[in-house]
Amino acid sequence: MSVRVRFAPSPTGYLHIGSARTALFNYLYARHTGGKFLLRIEDTDLARSTEESTRSILDGLAWLELNHDEEIVFQSDNADKHRETARKLLAEGKAYRDFTPKAEPNEANVKDTIKDRARANQGEKNMRDNPFRDLSVEESDARAEAGEPFAIRLKVAEHGRTAFDDAVYGIQERNYHDTEDLVLLRSDGHPLYNLAVVCDDIEMAITHVIRGQDHLTNTHKQVLIYEALGITPPTFAHLPLIMAPNKGKLSKRKHGEVVSMTTYRDAGFLAAAFRNFLALLGWSASEEQEIYSLEELVQKFSLEGIHRSNAVFNFTENDPRKWTDDKAQWMNAEYIRTMPVEDLLRFVKPELKAAKLWRDEYEDDDREWFEKTINLIRQRFFTLKDFSKQGRAYFSEDYDFDPAAIEKNLSKFPDLKTWLPELADRFEAEFADKPYDEENIEIVVKAFTEEKDTKLGVIMNGARTLLTGVAVGPSMLSVFEIIGLDRTIMRLRSQVAWT
RNA sequence: GUCCGGUUCGUCUAGGGGUUAGGACACCGCCCUUUCACGGCGGCAACACGGGUUCAAAUCCCGUACCGGAUACCA
């Protein structure tokens, strides 16, 4: 039977880094096995689901290039089928009506309330003590017909255990004793998560459920539903969780945008690099290679390579340099400086366009210059943003001067205020009749340096500041050449940086 | 509380009876260089703890600690 997996996010926010990795693993497994990667939006929680969130998640997946097969399934569209299934189980005596009035959840802190309640039970709670569990069919029917509201709960047997062989965690067993008679259908008629998931997974013919480890207990409940339905459950593979630096939960509320996929897109990350980084969080091919193309990931991915322990997404709040995981930043830089230039150009173009630095000539008349420039400046860049920020001076006359660069390379050497314009004159004279290339530039600048009885670095770094606005970059000889004679002369004469 | 899971450098990880416990990122130092966040070389740094089993344990077993997850008419 061919593999069918699904990524099933609930649209209650943007695409979280953990969800993105789950999607990636599902995608890789599907492609590796030649199966299908399906998408299902779990929007059964009407109160929290939003269309905007769905769009944001879809955007995130599109950015990561995790294209799904077949039509997107919206879980809410299947509510009738879910209800039908619940009624079927009720009719078969595998579920029962619970007429207990619905308890309103404490809005403020649902999680804590639940935890406190569970703790208060001291683990002594009998999961089978629901008074309506053994209500006679006649009475149950009568009360329902009389219009009394009820929820439908699964009737979990007194003795026995659920068991499944997790592809990552191995054999998982749980006594029925520890599982409550879970609610399948709310008293307002809305199907609940566990029921909906099972129905849809069956409907979609899912063969492998790959999802976060936080679903481990849900899986036992779902196995129960499969058993009640008489259907063989799919294979489960639970993924270790991605934690915050303090090993606590990585949450949208506490950690903000670092966990959102769109943040990385907007910060100038390459999808390929981030995908690569994500793939290595909780999975490895048991080898030392770390840079993988998508094709390699697809080829090497296996459920066996998934780890059992949680991974930390490492970043330091309030440290701009380490706002996100170091390795993710390094990997992005690695991609930027090593990928084929032609590929990189496709990503640089929209970046420059967005910054209003793009000129169509870069694709025809100036293509050679453009490619050479990108190739030169990418060596020290970390993100696509750097092309429009640090690299701005290569594409525009309207660029800023980094105060630190001025301080370091200009202010300390007041002579440069007259020397640099002088160098401009020298360039103008010297290059009137010879090629403005690195070799000749070096000769001229060195001669100039000797005349002024100063160090080469003083002239070079002063020029760098004037020509590029920043203190870092490629070899100055290359910079002179790539900026071109006219712009070099103009910028060396300019006094704006000095004011 | 109860159930479940986990624990190798700061982080991501390799190794699953005999290894100088390997790599990557980060950090530090040196080199290259006109500066530099490129590059090169090097350094720091880990088997949670306690018992077993064994000639031999990071590796197998048990316990403890710690961390995490779940515990809802949320998903």
Side-chain angles (χ1 to χ4, degrees):
Chain A
M1 188 168 54
S2 106
V3 166
R4 290 171 67 83
V5 298
R6 84 299 195 281
F7 172 56
S10 57
T12 55
Y14 45 62
L15 184 61
H16 182 279
I17 188 169
S19 307
R21 190 201 49 174
T22 300
L24 174 62
F25 283 18
N26 272 283
Y27 175 89
L28 293 176
Y29 189 63
R31 295 292 172 263
H32 177 81
T33 57
K36 298 275 191 241
F37 170 62
L38 312 184
L39 192 54
R40 182 172 73 224
I41 304 296
E42 309 218 316
D43 54 352
T44 55
D45 186 342
L46 277 16
R48 292 196 299 156
S49 300
T50 67
E51 232 172 88
E52 187 196 355
S53 166
T54 301
R55 203 160 40 240
S56 171
I57 289 168
L58 260 25
D59 280 353
L61 292 175
W63 180 64
L64 286 170
E65 299 168 296
L66 304 181
N67 306 318
H68 62 272
D69 301 308
E70 303 183 6
E71 290 289 294
I72 298 176
V73 172
F74 286 87
Q75 191 156 66
S76 57
D77 290 347
N78 299 335
D80 284 340
K81 282 180 192 158
H82 305 153
R83 276 187 281 270
E84 200 180 301
T85 304
R87 277 195 293 269
K88 176 177 175 261
L89 291 172
L90 182 63
E92 290 172 355
K94 290 170 178 165
Y96 62 94
R97 294 191 186 94
D98 180 0
F99 294 97
T100 309
K102 185 190 174 196
E104 283 307 320
N106 185 337
E107 281 290 326
N109 216 331
V110 194
K111 279 271 191 213
D112 287 350
T113 309
I114 286 156
K115 200 174 177 178
D116 289 347
R117 190 200 309 163
R119 212 198 314 274
N121 289 332
Q122 302 273 6
E124 293 300 307
K125 183 175 159 55
N126 175 1
M127 301 290 200
R128 309 289 159 252
D129 65 357
N130 191 304
F132 300 100
R133 184 180 157 91
D134 295 312
L135 203 64
S136 71
V137 177
E138 294 72 27
E139 190 177 348
S140 178
D141 285 351
R143 290 175 75 155
E145 229 157 279
E148 194 174 336
F150 59 86
I152 295 182
R153 285 184 184 271
L154 188 71
K155 201 174 202 168
V156 180
E158 294 270 4
H159 303 290
R161 54 169 58 159
T162 40
F164 61 93
D165 189 2
D166 191 272
V168 173
Y169 289 92
I171 302 281
Q172 298 293 307
E173 294 178 319
R174 187 176 162 97
N175 288 319
Y176 287 167
H177 174 82
D178 297 314
T179 303
E180 64 170 348
D181 285 348
L182 56 137
V183 173
L184 302 174
L185 210 59
R186 269 185 351 198
S187 49
D188 64 5
H190 278 109
L192 247 37
Y193 176 71
N194 285 305
L195 203 224
V197 166
V198 170
C199 290
D200 290 351
D201 282 342
I202 292 170
E203 179 83 15
M204 292 164 79
I206 299 303
T207 60
H208 299 256
V209 172
I210 303 169
R211 58 171 36 151
Q213 186 241 75
D214 51 336
H215 283 285
L216 229 28
T217 43
N218 277 329
T219 302
H220 283 98
K221 295 177 183 177
Q222 291 171 21
V223 165
L224 245 15
I225 299 176
Y226 278 104
E227 284 172 358
L229 257 24
I231 289 172
T232 307
T235 298
F236 295 99
H238 289 89
L239 272 22
L241 271 18
I242 298 176
M243 315 304 287
N246 65 358
K247 299 195 193 294
K249 194 167 179 168
L250 189 56
S251 78
K252 170 167 48 177
R253 253 192 69 199
K254 267 194 75 177
H255 304 99
E257 62 176 16
V258 262
V259 305
S260 169
M261 216 35 50
T262 48
T263 298
Y264 295 91
R265 181 195 60 197
D266 298 344
F269 274 67
L270 292 161
F274 206 76
R275 233 194 281 130
N276 193 157
F277 168 75
L278 240 29
L280 263 20
L281 230 42
W283 171 84
S284 86
S286 295
E287 60 183 7
E288 288 185 352
Q289 184 179 345
E290 300 204 284
I291 302 292
Y292 295 102
S293 67
L294 187 55
E295 293 68 33
E296 285 176 300
L297 286 175
V298 165
Q299 188 228 317
K300 297 193 176 187
F301 187 79
S302 75
L303 264 23
E304 290 69 38
I306 298 172
H307 308 144
R308 279 164 284 272
S309 52
N310 295 340
V312 168
F313 183 60
N314 199 20
F315 60 94
T316 311
E317 273 163 307
N318 307 321
D319 182 348
R321 264 169 52 93
K322 295 184 185 285
W323 69 275
T324 189
D325 198 293
D326 278 326
K327 199 147 186 174
Q329 298 202 59
W330 166 78
M331 198 163 280
N332 200 55
E334 183 69 13
Y335 268 75
I336 282 182
R337 58 188 174 241
T338 61
M339 72 197 292
V341 215
E342 317 86 81
D343 293 346
L344 181 61
L345 293 182
R346 295 208 321 273
F347 298 105
V348 173
K349 179 177 174 179
E351 174 57 35
L352 292 186
K353 271 195 162 172
K356 300 208 175 4
L357 295 173
W358 177 259
R359 294 193 305 121
D360 287 337
E361 289 77 11
Y362 295 156
E363 277 180 341
D364 41 70
D365 292 358
D366 293 340
R367 187 183 171 95
E368 199 185 329
W369 175 84
F370 184 63
E371 218 176 284
K372 210 171 147 191
T373 301
I374 296 303
N375 198 33
L376 182 69
I377 63 182
R378 68 167 166 166
Q379 286 314 320
R380 283 167 180 78
F381 285 177
F382 278 74
T383 70
L384 293 172
K385 278 274 168 284
D386 289 334
F387 288 95
S388 62
K389 293 279 197 289
Q390 275 193 52
R392 191 177 173 90
Y394 293 89
F395 310 108
S396 167
E397 292 313 306
D398 175 24
Y399 56 95
D400 294 330
F401 294 89
D402 172 16
I406 292 179
E407 171 64 27
K408 183 182 172 197
N409 298 329
L410 256 30
S411 305
K412 281 186 190 161
F413 310 100
D415 287 337
L416 289 173
K417 198 167 179 179
T418 50
W419 289 354
L420 263 9
E422 249 180 81
L423 181 62
D425 295 342
R426 185 68 54 88
F427 273 16
E428 193 167 39
E430 292 280 349
F431 296 109
D433 59 355
K434 70 178 164 215
Y436 185 63
D437 59 27
E438 291 191 30
E439 198 184 334
N440 289 328
I441 293 168
E442 184 169 16
I443 294 168
V444 173
V445 175
K446 275 197 168 149
F448 185 82
T449 303
E450 274 163 37
E451 272 173 46
K452 298 301 176 193
D453 192 26
T454 186
K455 285 192 289 190
L456 189 61
V458 173
I459 301 297
M460 288 295 199
N461 291 321
R464 179 188 298 282
T465 305
L466 253 30
L467 261 58
T468 68
V470 293
V472 301
S475 152
M476 246 337 263
L477 296 173
S478 313
V479 175
F480 276 129
E481 191 186 306
I482 214 88
I483 292 287
L485 184 58
D486 293 349
R487 291 200 296 173
T488 297
I489 290 170
M490 191 169 67
R491 292 178 186 189
L492 285 176
R493 280 177 181 157
S494 169
Q495 296 287 308
V496 295
W498 292 96
T499 57

